[in-house]
Amino acid sequence: MKIQPLFDRVLLKPIESKENRASGLILPESTSERPRLGVVVALGDGGETDGKPTKMYVKENDIALFSRYGGIDVKIDEEDYVIVRQTDILAIMEEN
Amino acid sequence: MKIQPLFDRVLLKPIESKENRASGLILPESTSERPRLGVVVALGDGGETDGKPTKMYVKENDIALFSRYGGIDVKIDEEDYVIVRQTDILAIMEEN
Amino acid sequence: MKIQPLFDRVLLKPIESKENRASGLILPESTSERPRLGVVVALGDGGETDGKPTKMYVKENDIALFSRYGGIDVKIDEEDYVIVRQTDILAIMEEN
Amino acid sequence: MKIQPLFDRVLLKPIESKENRASGLILPESTSERPRLGVVVALGDGGETDGKPTKMYVKENDIALFSRYGGIDVKIDEEDYVIVRQTDILAIMEEN
Amino acid sequence: MKIQPLFDRVLLKPIESKENRASGLILPESTSERPRLGVVVALGDGGETDGKPTKMYVKENDIALFSRYGGIDVKIDEEDYVIVRQTDILAIMEEN
Amino acid sequence: MKIQPLFDRVLLKPIESKENRASGLILPESTSERPRLGVVVALGDGGETDGKPTKMYVKENDIALFSRYGGIDVKIDEEDYVIVRQTDILAIMEEN
Amino acid sequence: MKIQPLFDRVLLKPIESKENRASGLILPESTSERPRLGVVVALGDGGETDGKPTKMYVKENDIALFSRYGGIDVKIDEEDYVIVRQTDILAIMEEN
């Protein structure tokens, strides 16, 4: 069974700080206001509002920097995930 | 007598945590902030706002992951249901 | 003298819990957050907003499930009524 | 000198509870949350918002049921009036 | 030097309660929630929002009844004025 | 190096109360709620919102009366300036 | 690995007060309400809202004056950055 997010929602698998350090981006756990990193696991098709489609700018496997606020925690098969709206994703981490 | 939700509202029959575990999705009751699972029992046709129709993205028998906030509890024939707006449904659980 | 609601407002005659039980829907009075049932007695024609008409989805004699919040209590000829906006009506109860 | 309300505003002369009883509608003064009755004395032409005209659904001499909230009290020639926006008028009382 | 209000703003010279009484409209100073009377001294041309012009419904020398809330006090040449948005003007006083 | 405001923002050089008195407009510093006077030093081109351009109604060297709220203080070369949105400018002072 | 902001977000490298003084703009650290200066390191393409594209008015290497509110702190390779929405950028510093 898999999760299919609705509208512009994105399911993220948070990345631990250790992995972050390896990628050159350090987001210490002690600073709770800092945004988090996560891998895009699944996403909605944007849906539509007032008859206008919402474009999705992220795709599966993207590494997303997302705000700690607005995310909803979900546990699937003993693992932690977060569901956010696309607008709560601040940036995508790209390879140089 | 049956309930016909209006606008984009969806009537859900919450699924117990035991059933959840069977489906591989575990949402412990002790964590009150976590979203809940429920089966779509009935739904409105979306209605329209400012002359524009609202599309419905869920259908009867869908298993929905929905936010604990915004839902309204209703008791029908001694059983508990929840009425939510479609936008409070985070994702649909699909068979692999 | 009768009440003609304006815009999308609906005048409802609340149904007692006893009648509710007969119809299979039980909404105990002790749980104040639960929605209430009421019969549609009169309704506005929707009016218009920004030049666009508002459609009415309920009609006289419908049995409506409505939110306790947002309703305004009115007493007519010693009987209690409630005026709600159509959007505060969650669902319509239909015969099987 | 007379008052000409602007936009969708309506000048109302509140009706005492005694007169209300005569018309079959009883709104006891002791229940402060209940809406009030008033006669439409003057009204604006609706004005326009974003280039779209606002329709007026009430007319002079209508008996209006209006919300206690949002009204502004005005005293003219020793008599009390209330100015409300048309959207704060819940219903119009019509002769049977 | 004169004040030219921007957008839909209106510069008003408040009228004392004594003058009010003469015109038949009494707004006792002791009731601070009551609206005030003022003469329109200058006004903006409405400006535009989202490419749509805002119409002005008042003109110089109009006697305006305006809400106490939202007005900004200004002192010019030792005299007190108030700047309000046109939407805070409740009504215009017209000669019979 | 100069400041180029973005969107509908306006950079103002506040005028002291002494200069105000000379121009006939007195805004005593002791009354903190009163609006302030300032000379327009630089302004944005309005930018656009939802594809529609925002018109600018002020120009360099205008003397603006602006609300104390919403302004952001900036210090440039030891002098104090304020950045406001055009909509926080109440009026322009014009020569008679 | 580099950060690619989404929508109208802008990644800024804050400039220290010492550098600010060199450029003639002094924003003392002690005044916490004052806006900050930063160099634009990366920016989104604006994205679109309701089917309408959002224009970007800043570009890489611009020196931006931005509000302290609304910015999100991010640490990359031991250095501090801030992510803001373009609308939180007050002005661009240009060479004379």
Side-chain angles (χ1 to χ4, degrees):
Chain A
M1 197 166 237
K2 65 181 272 283
I3 292 188
Q4 175 55 51
L6 283 192
F7 304 106
D8 69 337
R9 289 199 185 84
V10 179
L11 179 73
L12 294 163
K13 176 92 199 73
I15 302 178
E16 297 298 322
S17 58
K18 194 176 168 185
E19 297 171 65
N20 291 351
R21 192 168 285 119
S23 70
L25 186 76
I26 298 166
L27 302 163
E29 280 176 79
S30 59
T31 316
S32 67
E33 298 87 9
R34 294 203 184 253
R36 286 194 286 173
L37 279 183
V39 178
V40 174
V41 174
L43 67 161
D45 66 1
E48 60 180 49
T49 310
D50 299 336
K52 291 172 194 152
T54 300
K55 258 195 206 167
M56 295 303 285
Y57 293 90
V58 300
K59 57 182 190 302
E60 277 185 42
N61 296 317
D62 272 356
I63 296 177
L65 184 71
F66 65 99
S67 167
R68 277 176 195 276
Y69 307 105
I72 295 175
D73 296 321
V74 188
K75 187 170 240 174
I76 307 172
D77 296 335
E78 301 293 341
E79 296 214 40
D80 291 314
Y81 292 86
V82 181
I83 295 178
V84 300
R85 306 204 80 109
Q86 180 179 233
T87 48
D88 289 324
I89 296 181
L90 307 173
I92 295 299
M93 309 306 295
E94 299 182 340
E95 299 294 329
N96 284 323
Chain B
M1 197 167 237
K2 63 181 271 284
I3 292 188
Q4 175 55 51
L6 284 192
F7 304 107
D8 69 338
R9 290 201 184 82
V10 179
L11 180 72
L12 295 162
K13 177 92 198 73
I15 303 179
E16 297 298 322
S17 58
K18 194 175 167 184
E19 296 172 67
N20 291 351
R21 191 167 285 120
S23 72
L25 186 75
I26 298 166
L27 302 163
E29 280 176 79
S30 58
T31 316
S32 66
E33 299 88 7
R34 294 206 183 251
R36 287 194 285 174
L37 278 184
V39 178
V40 174
V41 174
L43 69 161
D45 65 2
E48 59 180 50
T49 310
D50 299 335
K52 291 173 194 151
T54 300
K55 259 195 205 167
M56 295 304 284
Y57 293 90
V58 301
K59 56 182 191 302
E60 276 185 43
N61 295 318
D62 272 356
I63 296 177
L65 183 72
F66 65 99
S67 167
R68 279 177 193 276
Y69 308 105
I72 295 175
D73 296 323
V74 189
K75 187 169 238 174
I76 308 172
D77 294 336
E78 302 292 341
E79 296 214 42
D80 290 314
Y81 292 86
V82 181
I83 295 178
V84 301
R85 306 204 80 111
Q86 181 180 234
T87 48
D88 289 324
I89 296 181
L90 306 172
I92 295 299
M93 309 307 296
E94 299 183 340
E95 298 294 329
N96 285 323
Chain C
M1 198 168 238
K2 64 180 271 285
I3 291 189
Q4 175 56 50
L6 284 192
F7 305 107
D8 69 338
R9 290 201 183 81
V10 179
L11 180 73
L12 295 162
K13 177 93 196 74
I15 302 178
E16 297 298 323
S17 59
K18 195 176 167 183
E19 296 172 66
N20 292 349
R21 191 167 285 120
S23 72
L25 185 75
I26 297 165
L27 302 163
E29 278 175 81
S30 59
T31 315
S32 66
E33 298 86 9
R34 292 205 185 254
R36 287 194 285 174
L37 278 184
V39 178
V40 174
V41 174
L43 68 161
D45 65 2
E48 58 180 50
T49 311
D50 299 336
K52 291 172 192 151
T54 299
K55 257 195 206 169
M56 295 305 284
Y57 294 89
V58 301
K59 56 182 192 301
E60 276 185 44
N61 296 318
D62 273 356
I63 297 178
L65 183 72
F66 65 99
S67 167
R68 279 178 193 275
Y69 306 106
I72 295 175
D73 295 321
V74 189
K75 187 169 238 173
I76 308 172
D77 294 335
E78 302 291 341
E79 297 214 42
D80 291 313
Y81 293 86
V82 181
I83 295 178
V84 301
R85 307 203 78 112
Q86 182 181 233
T87 49
D88 290 323
I89 296 181
L90 307 172
I92 295 299
M93 308 307 296
E94 298 182 341
E95 298 294 330
N96 285 324
Chain D
M1 197 166 237
K2 65 181 271 284
I3 292 188
Q4 175 56 50
L6 283 192
F7 304 107
D8 69 338
R9 290 202 182 82
V10 179
L11 180 73
L12 296 161
K13 177 94 197 73
I15 301 178
E16 297 298 322
S17 59
K18 194 176 167 183
E19 297 171 64
N20 292 349
R21 190 168 285 118
S23 72
L25 185 75
I26 297 165
L27 303 163
E29 279 176 81
S30 60
T31 315
S32 65
E33 299 86 8
R34 292 203 184 256
R36 287 193 284 173
L37 278 183
V39 179
V40 174
V41 175
L43 69 159
D45 65 1
E48 58 181 50
T49 310
D50 300 336
K52 291 172 193 152
T54 299
K55 258 195 207 170
M56 294 305 286
Y57 293 90
V58 301
K59 58 182 190 301
E60 276 185 45
N61 295 318
D62 273 356
I63 297 177
L65 183 71
F66 65 99
S67 167
R68 279 178 193 275
Y69 307 106
I72 295 175
D73 296 321
V74 189
K75 186 169 240 174
I76 308 172
D77 295 335
E78 303 292 340
E79 296 215 39
D80 291 314
Y81 292 85
V82 181
I83 295 178
V84 301
R85 306 204 78 111
Q86 181 179 234
T87 48
D88 289 324
I89 296 180
L90 306 172
I92 295 298
M93 309 307 296
E94 299 181 340
E95 298 294 330
N96 285 323
Chain E
M1 197 166 236
K2 66 181 270 284
I3 292 188
Q4 175 55 49
L6 284 192
F7 303 107
D8 69 338
R9 290 199 183 85
V10 179
L11 180 73
L12 296 162
K13 177 91 198 75
I15 301 178
E16 297 299 322
S17 59
K18 194 175 166 184
E19 298 172 64
N20 292 351
R21 190 167 285 119
S23 71
L25 185 75
I26 298 166
L27 303 163
E29 279 176 80
S30 60
T31 315
S32 65
E33 298 87 8
R34 292 203 185 254
R36 287 193 285 173
L37 278 184
V39 178
V40 174
V41 174
L43 68 159
D45 65 1
E48 59 181 49
T49 309
D50 300 336
K52 291 170 194 153
T54 300
K55 257 195 208 169
M56 295 304 286
Y57 293 90
V58 301
K59 59 181 190 301
E60 277 185 45
N61 295 317
D62 274 356
I63 296 177
L65 184 71
F66 65 99
S67 167
R68 280 177 192 274
Y69 307 105
I72 295 175
D73 296 321
V74 189
K75 186 168 239 174
I76 308 173
D77 294 336
E78 303 292 340
E79 297 215 40
D80 289 315
Y81 292 86
V82 181
I83 295 178
V84 301
R85 306 204 78 110
Q86 180 179 233
T87 49
D88 289 323
I89 296 180
L90 306 171
I92 295 298
M93 308 307 294
E94 299 181 341
E95 298 295 329
N96 284 324
Chain F
M1 196 166 236
K2 67 182 269 283
I3 292 187
Q4 176 55 50
L6 285 192
F7 303 108
D8 69 337
R9 290 200 184 84
V10 179
L11 179 73
L12 294 163
K13 177 89 199 75
I15 301 179
E16 298 298 322
S17 58
K18 195 177 167 184
E19 296 172 66
N20 292 351
R21 192 168 285 116
S23 72
L25 186 75
I26 297 166
L27 302 163
E29 279 175 81
S30 61
T31 315
S32 66
E33 298 87 8
R34 291 203 185 255
R36 287 194 285 173
L37 278 184
V39 178
V40 175
V41 175
L43 69 160
D45 65 1
E48 59 181 49
T49 310
D50 300 335
K52 291 171 195 150
T54 301
K55 258 195 207 169
M56 295 303 287
Y57 293 90
V58 300
K59 57 181 190 302
E60 277 184 44
N61 296 317
D62 273 357
I63 295 177
L65 184 72
F66 65 98
S67 167
R68 280 177 193 275
Y69 307 105
I72 295 175
D73 296 320
V74 188
K75 187 169 240 174
I76 308 173
D77 295 334
E78 303 291 341
E79 297 215 40
D80 289 316
Y81 291 86
V82 181
I83 295 178
V84 300
R85 306 203 79 112
Q86 181 179 234
T87 49
D88 290 323
I89 295 180
L90 307 172
I92 295 298
M93 308 307 295
E94 299 182 340
E95 298 293 330
N96 284 323
Chain G
M1 196 167 235
K2 65 181 271 284
I3 292 187
Q4 176 55 50
L6 285 192
F7 303 107
D8 70 338
R9 289 200 185 84
V10 179
L11 179 72
L12 294 163
K13 177 91 199 72
I15 302 178
E16 297 298 322
S17 59
K18 195 177 167 183
E19 297 172 65
N20 292 350
R21 191 167 285 117
S23 72
L25 186 75
I26 298 167
L27 302 163
E29 280 177 80
S30 60
T31 315
S32 66
E33 298 86 9
R34 292 203 185 255
R36 287 193 286 173
L37 278 184
V39 178
V40 174
V41 175
L43 68 161
D45 65 1
E48 59 181 48
T49 310
D50 300 336
K52 290 172 195 152
T54 300
K55 258 195 207 169
M56 295 303 286
Y57 293 90
V58 301
K59 57 180 191 303
E60 276 185 44
N61 296 318
D62 272 357
I63 296 177
L65 184 71
F66 65 99
S67 167
R68 278 176 195 276
Y69 307 106
I72 295 175
D73 297 320
V74 189
K75 187 170 241 175
I76 308 171
D77 295 336
E78 302 292 341
E79 297 214 39
D80 290 315
Y81 292 86
V82 181
I83 295 178
V84 300
R85 306 204 80 110
Q86 181 180 235
T87 48
D88 289 323
I89 296 181
L90 307 173
I92 295 299
M93 309 307 295
E94 299 182 341
E95 299 294 329
N96 284 323

